[in-house]
Amino acid sequence: MFRKAIFSLIIAVLMFSAAPHVRAKDSVAFPPESELTNPKWAREGYATLADPFVKQTRYLLALDVDWSRGQINGQARVLYVNNTPDALTMMAFRLFPNHPIPAAYGDVYTASKPRMIIQSVQVNGADTPWTTPDKYRTLLTVNLPTTLQIGEQTEITISYTVNYSAPTDSLDVREAFPMAAVYDQGTWRDDIVTKSLDYVFSETALFAVTLRTVRDVSLYCTGSITQTAVDGDSVTYSISTGPVRDFVFLLTKGWGFLAGKSVPVPIDVRYRGSEALAQEMAEIAAESMSFFDKTIGIYPYAHLTFLVLSYPTGGEEYPTLLFNDNARDISYRRFITAHEMAHQWFYGVAGNDIARHAWLDESLAQIGMYLFYRDHYGTVVAEQEWKSILTWSTRLKGKARPIDTAVENFTDFSDYMTHTYGLGAVFMRDLAEKIGYDKFTAGLAAYYKAAYFKVGTPMQFFDAMQAQTTLSLKALFCQRMGYPCTS
């Protein structure tokens, strides 16, 4: 019996020794703070634009992406600077993966199954109480152990997971991190926006990201990839964004790739479907980028990623990253490409409050597209496209609202589109014809400069336009926009 036990023990030891050693997978490390100012994000000569944001809230993200399951294990190290006018005893973050999908998308995520789950929160290395108080769990509130005075910095580390559906050929990831909520007049903004396609209201910040995933997929993201390290079947990317209002990424498998024109910066084209349509839309992207760069203001980033695919809502914009629909006719493909490109200026750099002043990016993208048409295709094509814009404005039912109406105060998505895409664009053209197109374009450039990397306001837009003319624009703005109406 004893000899049999010894023999079994020897066999077990030999079997264990012969088995291959499997090393536990290391966790993804945070990027160093120096990566926040890595100049690779910037167009040549513009890297110093990041310098002021070193004194503002910054994000260091470590993301481990399980491609097969569509799951992200995340760590966020948020260097939060209190640039509010108040001393703070608590902090708030938005968990936008849990935001209900607007009805216009045709789908809604329920409160009972959030995508983003918080696991732990630390403030300056110590565990701290936190809660997700709203029914959708889009708001994370964090108690601060000591009052954070104006101008002071604290470090908040958050561990979490984000769950998506298992991908086939792409994993589309939006705001997969806790985003500092906007502090506005003594409260943290927790808007739930369901009557438009956009719902993320954010402020410009620096992001540095370490992202690990499998080797056989391609990564496209906000910002620039600064380093790539392969380890067996996985690959780890280092990413620096420069000053941006959001961080998103897309992983693809089997998509086509085209190197677009480098005017004024390189455009990388990733497409699903027809290569010919992707090439056609890439040409429009380069031409419209060149126009806006020349007439509105410098595009400050090192490159742009242009994604071409069948996209039910037409398109979507993020800093340095555009989604564009290739499933419709040439007229629409021209429109959606130029419209989304204009968003790189109005939304991407010149930010705005999309919940309360959505026209400050959508109406400006519409008129920007029209101005590009006039310049590039001529008045015949421009006027033909203008008829499409009028189809939005002619949907008006009843009396028009002020264009500067908060999104949730519209009746529904159609009402929002009628005013923001239709009547807002009509107002812009009427304004251009009142003061002259050259002065109007100069006003757009002045507003872009005033709102550069900031949250632009309606009054900044009014001031930029009024400065171009001796005509009083106050009554026109009051009647159509709803401001400024006081004497």
Side-chain angles (χ1 to χ4, degrees):
M1 185 70 176
F2 180 74
R3 290 170 60 187
K4 185 176 180 180
I6 291 293
F7 179 76
S8 299
L9 178 62
I10 292 172
I11 294 297
V13 169
L14 289 174
M15 289 178 65
F16 179 81
S17 300
H21 176 64
V22 180
R23 178 172 57 87
K25 201 172 187 180
D26 297 331
S27 60
V28 177
F30 282 118
E33 288 188 43
S34 59
E35 191 68 8
L36 290 164
T37 52
N38 187 319
K40 289 187 178 180
W41 70 269
R43 183 172 174 172
E44 186 176 357
Y46 289 88
T48 56
L49 291 176
D51 293 349
F53 294 91
V54 175
K55 298 179 181 179
Q56 300 182 30
T57 298
R58 293 96 69 207
Y59 296 84
L60 300 167
L61 305 180
L63 307 177
D64 198 359
V65 183
D66 187 332
W67 164 268
S68 64
R69 297 170 62 193
Q71 184 181 76
I72 300 168
N73 291 308
Q75 298 274 335
R77 182 178 166 223
V78 184
L79 307 176
Y80 182 78
V81 178
N82 182 9
N83 286 323
T84 79
D86 301 317
L88 302 175
T89 58
M90 58 86 70
M91 259 291 298
F93 294 86
R94 299 305 305 275
L95 311 181
F96 280 116
N98 295 343
H99 190 286
I101 299 300
Y105 283 100
D107 192 11
V108 175
Y109 292 106
T110 64
S112 62
K113 192 177 181 182
R115 278 180 166 177
M116 191 171 190
I117 306 296
I118 301 300
Q119 296 168 334
S120 65
V121 180
Q122 293 184 326
V123 176
N124 296 327
D127 291 337
T128 191
W130 57 272
T131 185
T132 50
D134 66 307
K135 70 175 182 178
Y136 296 111
R137 285 179 265 187
T138 71
L139 190 71
L140 168 68
T141 60
V142 177
N143 292 339
L144 299 176
T146 58
T147 299
L148 188 65
Q149 301 297 331
I150 298 171
E152 289 184 344
Q153 176 178 299
T154 192
E155 181 177 314
I156 303 172
T157 305
I158 305 170
S159 300
Y160 60 95
T161 59
V162 189
N163 295 289
Y164 294 86
S165 299
T168 52
D169 68 342
S170 65
L171 183 61
D172 185 354
V173 180
R174 319 287 176 98
E175 298 90 32
F177 63 96
M179 179 185 287
V182 176
Y183 190 82
D184 186 8
Q185 297 182 347
T187 189
W188 298 99
R189 291 283 295 274
D190 59 356
D191 307 76
I192 300 295
V193 182
T194 61
K195 295 175 183 175
S196 72
L197 296 173
D198 302 317
Y199 50 83
V200 177
F201 175 33
S202 58
E203 296 175 302
T204 299
L206 301 178
F207 293 78
V209 184
T210 306
L211 187 153
R212 179 170 66 192
T213 190
V214 292
R215 281 184 64 180
D216 59 345
V217 298
S218 299
L219 170 67
Y220 296 90
C221 60
T222 304
S224 296
I225 298 171
T226 61
Q227 187 175 349
T228 303
V230 176
D231 182 8
D233 293 332
S234 68
V235 58
T236 300
Y237 299 96
S238 298
I239 302 161
S240 176
T241 66
V244 294
R245 300 180 62 228
D246 203 347
F247 176 76
V248 304
F249 66 89
L250 180 78
L251 296 173
T252 69
K253 182 182 288 189
W255 287 30
F257 174 79
L258 294 171
K261 289 185 176 179
S262 296
V263 180
V265 298
I267 301 176
D268 295 327
V269 184
R270 197 73 179 182
Y271 66 93
R272 179 201 282 157
S274 165
E275 179 177 346
L277 290 183
Q279 185 67 60
E280 169 198 89
M281 295 176 73
E283 291 287 331
I284 300 168
E287 291 156 356
S288 57
M289 172 181 265
S290 181
F291 172 78
F292 295 127
D293 190 73
K294 178 179 64 177
T295 60
I296 305 301
I298 291 294
Y299 178 80
Y301 304 107
H303 72 102
L304 177 83
T305 299
F306 187 71
L307 302 169
V308 180
L309 67 160
S310 177
Y311 205 77
T313 62
E316 200 156 358
E317 72 280 359
Y318 294 94
T320 77
L321 187 72
L322 295 178
F323 291 80
N324 295 264
D325 185 24
N326 63 359
R328 308 184 210 185
D329 62 21
I330 178 59
S331 177
Y332 191 86
R333 293 195 298 273
R334 280 195 304 232
F335 154 71
I336 199 62
T337 300
H339 175 95
E340 299 304 338
M341 186 63 74
H343 273 310
Q344 289 295 304
W345 278 257
F346 301 116
Y347 158 79
V349 176
N352 63 294
D353 182 341
I354 62 93
R356 297 177 182 172
H357 311 295
W359 66 272
L360 266 175
D361 64 274
E362 294 299 352
S363 299
L364 297 193
Q366 291 285 74
I367 198 63
M369 174 271 297
Y370 175 71
L371 295 174
F372 164 66
Y373 271 44
R374 280 169 53 98
D375 179 81
H376 188 73
Y377 298 112
T379 55
V380 173
V381 174
E383 293 310 313
Q384 187 63 39
E385 184 54 43
W386 188 254
K387 293 178 183 178
S388 298
I389 291 177
L390 292 180
T391 62
W392 274 301
S393 62
T394 55
R395 296 173 188 172
L396 178 66
K397 297 177 182 179
K399 185 179 179 180
R401 304 169 186 270
I403 295 163
D404 189 41
T405 292
V407 171
E408 291 306 289
N409 289 339
F410 289 112
T411 303
D412 51 25
F413 178 67
S414 179
D415 191 26
Y416 159 81
M417 292 289 288
T418 295
H419 286 80
T420 307
Y421 285 70
L423 294 175
V426 171
F427 171 77
M428 293 299 158
R429 183 168 180 183
D430 289 348
L431 179 60
E433 293 183 350
K434 182 178 179 68
I435 68 174
Y437 278 93
D438 288 345
K439 291 181 178 179
F440 177 78
T441 302
L444 289 179
Y447 170 71
Y448 178 70
K449 183 177 181 180
Y452 205 72
F453 292 136
K454 301 173 185 175
V455 176
T457 68
M459 282 306 301
Q460 283 180 310
F461 182 80
F462 172 80
D463 290 342
M465 288 297 169
Q466 185 61 80
Q468 309 308 316
T469 179
T470 57
L471 299 172
S472 175
L473 303 178
K474 190 172 181 179
L476 177 64
F477 270 77
C478 178
Q479 180 186 19
R480 305 273 288 280
M481 280 289 171
Y483 75 91
C485 297
T486 57
S487 58

